[in-house]
Amino acid sequence: MSVFDIIGGILLILVAICVIATVAMQEGSKSGVNALGGPNADTSRSHGKTMNAMLSRATKFFAIAFFALTILIAVVDKFVK
């Protein structure tokens, strides 16, 4: 196990914890439209300045970071060994 694998694993754990925390802090939606990224009455009127909108953006950021980091680690691991 290389140093890159250890650092990558630690980063994956930290990003996964951030994804779980931001999802857990979000308010529940009354309809399934919000879960699919549809317009929300609160965010469209206040231009995304509500706490739920900020958490939604943070969740998207951490989810993208998680998948990108996972792919990066897999690609580097395949070419290094």
Side-chain angles (χ1 to χ4, degrees):
M1 186 173 253
S2 69
V3 174
F4 183 76
D5 289 336
I6 294 170
I7 292 173
I10 291 170
L11 286 175
L12 274 176
I13 291 170
L14 291 175
V15 173
I17 290 170
C18 290
V19 169
I20 292 168
T22 55
V23 168
M25 288 190 295
Q26 289 182 13
E27 296 177 5
S29 62
K30 294 180 183 174
S31 64
V33 176
N34 293 337
L36 297 175
N40 187 357
D42 294 335
T43 58
S44 61
R45 289 189 187 140
S46 64
H47 303 289
K49 298 195 187 254
T50 63
M51 180 61 101
N52 202 29
M54 288 188 292
L55 287 172
S56 177
R57 273 188 260 125
T59 302
K60 289 175 189 174
F61 171 77
F62 286 128
I64 290 169
F66 180 80
F67 285 112
L69 189 60
T70 303
I71 292 170
L72 176 71
I73 290 171
V75 168
V76 169
D77 193 43
K78 182 173 183 169
F79 288 115
V80 169
K81 290 185 178 180

